[in-house]
Amino acid sequence: MFKIVTTPTMLEDAYQIRKSVFVQEQGVPLENEIDQFESIATHVIGYDQSNTPFATGRFRPLDKGIKIERIAIIASHRKLGYGKLLMNYLEEVAKSHGHTNLKLNAQCQAQAFYASLGYTTEGDVFMEENIEHIVMIKNI
């Protein structure tokens, strides 16, 4: 179901999911969505039983750990438990690379979801791309 992106086609599938969720649904400008960290990030893609790409996320090195970013699931596949499975997979991959300190900028509407996975808030709410976010951290 979830795999580390290893080919240009897989990466394009991940970008298409992000464009659908962040650019089309949430109004993030495309030039801000695809950023300077694409080449250093470890990207993950999820394919369903029909081999349709439906979920993505990435992580990249940050200080003494990693930053998890760009978690996106297409609308037709939400509320089915895939978000938890995706996060668990990302955490497993990060841990297998020796990372134990995880950080992410959660959209406030998803804060309870990340809290249910053991993430705790740090600092104050801030705006990013006109969407309220909060830093959340977890040690694994």
Side-chain angles (χ1 to χ4, degrees), residues 15-34:
Y15 287 161
Q16 289 303 319
I17 294 166
R18 288 169 47 188
K19 289 174 188 174
S20 173
V21 172
F22 298 123
V23 177
Q24 294 170 359
E25 289 181 32
Q26 297 184 344
V28 174
L30 180 60
E31 60 271 16
N32 296 353
E33 176 52 33
I34 306 301

Side-chain angles (χ1 to χ4, degrees), residues 60-138:
R60 62 181 171 93
L62 182 73
D63 303 325
K64 297 177 183 171
I66 62 157
K67 186 173 183 190
I68 297 174
E69 303 172 306
R70 306 308 202 264
I71 302 300
I73 297 177
I74 60 172
S76 62
H77 287 65
R78 291 183 197 144
K79 306 292 184 193
L80 300 173
Y82 292 125
K84 180 178 180 179
L85 294 175
L86 173 59
M87 289 300 296
N88 288 342
Y89 183 80
L90 282 162
E91 290 177 11
E92 286 174 24
V93 172
K95 193 170 185 177
S96 75
H97 286 95
H99 302 292
T100 57
N101 298 315
L102 313 177
K103 181 177 181 177
L104 56 84
N105 292 347
Q107 291 186 9
C108 287
Q109 54 89 13
Q111 182 178 344
F113 166 73
Y114 292 113
S116 75
L117 299 176
Y119 288 81
T120 57
T121 59
E122 183 177 82
D124 298 321
V125 171
F126 61 95
M127 296 298 286
E128 187 172 69
E129 299 300 338
N130 293 317
I131 300 168
E132 289 187 328
H133 285 74
I134 190 153
V135 173
M136 298 189 80
I137 58 171
K138 180 178 179 180

